[in-house]
Amino acid sequence: MRHSLSIRQIQLWRFAIYIIFALPGFAISSWVSRTPAIRDSLGATTSEMGLIILGMSIGSIIGLTCASHLIAHKGGRFVMVAGLLISAVGLLGVGMGGTLLTSSISVFVGLAVFGFGQGICDVAMNVEGTEVERAANKSLLTGFHAAFSVGTFLGAMAGTAAIKAGISVTVHLAFAMVIILLFTIYVYRLVPAGTGKETGGNAMEPPMSIKERMAIWKERRTVLVGIIVLGMAFAEGSANDWLPLVMVDGYKVTPAMGSFAFSIFVAAMTICRAVGGMLLDRFGRVVVLRASALFAIIGLLIVIFGRSYEFAIVGVVLWGFGAACGFPVGLSAAGDDPRGVAARVGAVSTVGYLAFLVGPPVLGLIGESIGLLRALIFILITVMVAGLLSQAARPIEQASRES
């Protein structure tokens, strides 16, 4: 079916997926930008706010675990659109619960709905991304993930502008919901229906049963690719949550300087993801993954053992370069086999997003005992393991020729 698409249709499909990747990033940063106001409105303590935010993690995990089954039955386009619509409704629920109702339970439920929508959309858009790569015969997933980073940046800027303009949380998040809905309605028609759908296949290639999809988790290659993604996603997610505090506590700098370091990290990641497709097409996955691991290792070592803030910033840049491509490259590798693509990409996505959700709190517990700066050694170890296993991400055809 994919080969019947014209070049123009593939280009439009690719454009739509760029937009769709940007929307979840925009939604997340819209919520994050208003967390201080919601906390103050609820009168919640730090620990209470942590429990409220747990709603998003619970919803995300449920969404991630059932996404591949939904895609297999409904197709990627349906699940992406449903996920974006659900997350938009959840976002509005968070705004209303946080300021109009001032109810912690309402915010918790809103975040759970938001997280569920984000979870199923995350898997579906990565499945679509691997299919666009196959149709276009180009490495595109790193660019799609760069679009997610751009969406996050735009959402953060919009949130900052809303705060400065004195716009209420409810109005701001309602506006964000409208933006998400309008873009979703605009681009969904550009996405072919049925990507990843495995029901109603022909007799020569019957659809995978639920048992077969669950068996994906036992495949050696899928497990190894999942470990690669786990290590690299942990390196990215931990920086997102802890880098400002790492710099403030470890180098005794001001919060503004800590935030600047995080901005540098995000910029380095975005730049590397923007050119990642060209690097992959020229050097291949294994070389890019090994170079990514090496950059991340050198960067982490500089941050951990650097003697000055300025030198540590060099490490932050290298850390950002190293963490940029691991997740999307792993997802691309998971999507090599068209049969079961939703299950494999879903499995690897789940591992990666769990690293985002679970890894940073674990790092915080370790940092409580030995300090955040020394706790980064734990990330260093996981990145080293990812680098050592990078050979598992070879394209299936290449691995078959070499075996």
Side-chain angles (χ1 to χ4, degrees), residues 290-336:
R290 286 174 176 168
S292 296
L294 183 61
F295 275 118
I297 289 167
I298 294 172
L300 283 163
L301 285 172
I302 291 174
V303 172
I304 295 169
F305 299 108
R307 296 297 182 90
S308 69
Y309 173 80
E310 292 74 18
F311 187 40
I313 288 295
V314 175
V316 168
V317 172
L318 294 176
W319 181 359
F321 285 158
C325 293
F327 194 7
V329 170
L331 293 174
S332 182
D336 276 350

Side-chain angles (χ1 to χ4, degrees), residues 26-394:
F26 178 82
I28 288 173
S29 56
S30 296
W31 138 249
V32 170
S33 69
R34 303 314 297 256
T35 50
I38 291 175
R39 180 195 61 190
D40 294 344
S41 177
L42 295 174
T45 64
T46 301
S47 60
E48 287 171 345
M49 199 64 185
L51 290 174
I52 292 169
I53 294 174
L54 184 63
M56 185 169 136
S57 298
I58 292 171
S60 297
I61 291 171
I62 294 172
L64 290 168
T65 52
C66 70
S68 64
H69 303 295
L70 290 173
I71 295 167
H73 287 288
K74 296 292 187 179
R77 185 178 75 172
F78 176 90
V79 176
M80 280 193 305
V81 171
L84 288 169
L85 296 181
I86 291 169
S87 64
V89 171
L91 192 62
L92 179 62
V94 169
M96 294 179 65
T99 54
L100 293 182
L101 303 176
T102 58
S103 165
S104 297
I105 295 176
S106 296
V107 176
F108 180 93
V109 172
L111 283 174
V113 172
F114 177 71
F116 177 81
Q118 290 280 104
I120 62 174
C121 182
D122 283 338
V123 176
M125 68 188 189
N126 281 300
V127 169
E128 288 285 341
T130 60
E131 285 292 322
V132 177
E133 279 193 330
R134 188 176 292 110
N137 197 28
K138 289 182 179 179
S139 298
L140 300 172
L141 264 179
T142 55
F144 292 143
H145 281 256
F148 178 91
S149 299
V150 171
T152 303
F153 174 78
L154 293 176
M157 292 299 98
T160 301
I163 293 168
K164 288 185 176 180
I167 297 173
S168 71
V169 173
T170 303
V171 172
H172 170 210
L173 296 187
F175 176 76
M177 180 190 76
V178 171
I179 293 293
I180 294 166
L181 293 180
L182 290 177
F183 273 100
T184 301
I185 292 169
Y186 174 68
V187 302
Y188 93 94
R189 296 166 298 169
L190 306 179
V191 179
T195 302
K197 191 173 182 179
E198 296 184 6
T199 54
N202 58 50
M204 297 296 293
E205 193 173 307
M208 297 181 78
S209 65
I210 293 178
K211 184 177 180 180
E212 285 178 306
R213 287 199 296 272
M214 295 306 295
I216 292 293
W217 290 87
K218 298 180 182 179
E219 292 179 351
R220 183 176 182 274
R221 183 175 185 268
T222 302
V223 170
L224 293 177
V225 170
I227 294 173
I228 294 171
V229 168
L230 177 71
M232 302 308 283
F234 185 38
E236 179 184 349
S238 297
N240 289 341
D241 282 14
W242 291 110
L243 185 54
L245 284 176
V246 165
M247 302 305 289
V248 170
D249 292 354
Y251 287 90
K252 311 303 179 187
V253 297
T254 64
M257 294 172 75
S259 295
F260 174 76
F262 176 62
S263 300
I264 292 294
F265 177 85
V266 173
M269 278 197 61
T270 304
I271 291 169
C272 193
R273 281 179 169 172
V275 301
M278 292 184 293
L279 296 174
L280 285 164
D281 287 335
R282 179 162 185 176
F283 299 108
R285 291 177 192 156
V286 175
V287 171
V288 169
L289 283 173
R290 286 174 176 168
S292 296
L294 183 61
F295 275 118
I297 289 167
I298 294 172
L300 283 163
L301 285 172
I302 291 174
V303 172
I304 295 169
F305 299 108
R307 296 297 182 90
S308 69
Y309 173 80
E310 292 74 18
F311 187 40
I313 288 295
V314 175
V316 168
V317 172
L318 294 176
W319 181 359
F321 285 158
C325 293
F327 194 7
V329 170
L331 293 174
S332 182
D336 276 350
D337 188 350
R339 186 170 188 267
V341 62
R344 291 186 183 87
V345 173
V348 173
S349 295
T350 300
V351 170
Y353 287 113
L354 283 176
F356 282 122
L357 295 170
V358 178
V362 171
L363 191 70
L365 292 174
I366 296 172
E368 188 77 23
S369 302
I370 63 175
L372 283 173
L373 208 57
R374 295 295 178 260
L376 298 182
I377 294 173
F378 188 61
I379 304 175
L380 189 67
I381 294 170
T382 63
V383 172
M384 290 175 67
V385 172
L388 292 172
L389 296 178
S390 58
Q391 192 74 6
R394 288 174 301 169

